[in-house]
Amino acid sequence: MIRLKILQRQERYEEYLYLAQAEGHMKEYLTMLGQLGRTEEAIQESAAVMTNCAEAQSLAEVLRSQNKLPQALDIAIRGLRFEAEPTYNKYDFAVWTSELAEGLEEFDIALESRMIAFQARPSLQEYQTVESLAADWPEIRAELLDYLRTTDNWMAREAKVDVFLHEGLVEDAISSIAVSEYGYVQARLVLQVMDAAIENHADWVIQLAQREAEKIMDAGKAKDYDLAVKWLQRMQRAYTTQDKTSTWQRYSNKIVAAHGRKRKLMGLMESGGLR
């Protein structure tokens, strides 16, 4: 790569192209062809030598800068379709491609690119953007929901909760957070699911909230007492939904008997309406 930079500074472009091709630096090779204005050659060569999204992105950006928009879009979507490359690497380029396609009124390509963007970095916002582009939304919706149900992409954790709850799929949301340990980020998502589940899944809320609150209280983790109170508030609401306020009151009294000397916890419970 150093030799290529030297040749570029010296404007020895033919030597640059020969060396880049010989050493397999296809991103640099295709990009230089484009920068030299040899765009037709670059496009033809790309069909034979382009193997990854980064190469496609570099060439597509050069073509777009030269106002060769249809050609840029063709290169871009071909790059996004390389399946051997991890999807999560493609997000920014997929959004770029989708916006270019929309500008050219190539709405099928815009939709395909946005679906790739969603799979790369799932979010409710991306989900809704796909919806806005989809002519056959029920079919696309089913495909995206199936992706969320089956993906192990760690970046999809928040999107699963947001999208499932947006669609009223509370049981899917519950399944998406069914793990044994919750950090603060995960706890926020679980609390969000609980709020949606209290009405029809009160027993699940009670069981999980009690378990998580007691882990904190029994361990005397004072810094986490505010989180324990949030668990207990959901538990209280779930009991109220079941018309079991007396059951909640007995449990609250049990907490006071066991942890009454923990002044911070007692103060938070009182201010949180739990006593």
Side-chain angles (χ1 to χ4, degrees), residues 184 213 215-229 259 261-266 268:
Y184 263 89
K215 282 196 299 187
I216 294 170
M217 295 186 297
D218 292 346
K221 295 181 179 179
K223 67 181 181 64
D224 291 340
Y225 284 162
D226 58 335
L227 179 57
V229 166
H259 303 286
R261 297 177 64 183
K262 296 170 181 173
R263 287 182 294 176
K264 180 180 178 181
L265 176 62
M266 295 297 105
L268 288 170

Side-chain angles (χ1 to χ4, degrees), residues 68-88:
K68 296 184 180 296
L69 304 185
Q71 296 91 330
L73 182 60
D74 178 67
I75 293 295
I77 194 61
R78 282 202 279 137
L80 289 175
R81 287 171 179 165
F82 285 121
E83 295 184 358
E85 189 165 353
T87 301
Y88 54 76

Side-chain angles (χ1 to χ4, degrees), residues 29-87:
Y29 173 69
L30 293 172
T31 302
M32 180 57 72
L33 283 175
Q35 290 173 343
L36 293 173
R38 293 159 61 175
T39 53
E40 292 303 320
E41 185 178 352
I43 292 168
Q44 291 176 2
E45 285 286 290
S46 71
V49 303
M50 191 171 71
T51 60
N52 61 60
C53 197
E55 294 167 357
Q57 181 172 0
S58 184
L59 178 55
E61 288 174 348
V62 170
L63 293 172
R64 186 175 190 178
S65 72
Q66 297 173 347
N67 208 35
K68 296 184 180 296
L69 304 185
Q71 296 91 330
L73 182 60
D74 178 67
I75 293 295
I77 194 61
R78 282 202 279 137
L80 289 175
R81 287 171 179 165
F82 285 121
E83 295 184 358
E85 189 165 353
T87 301

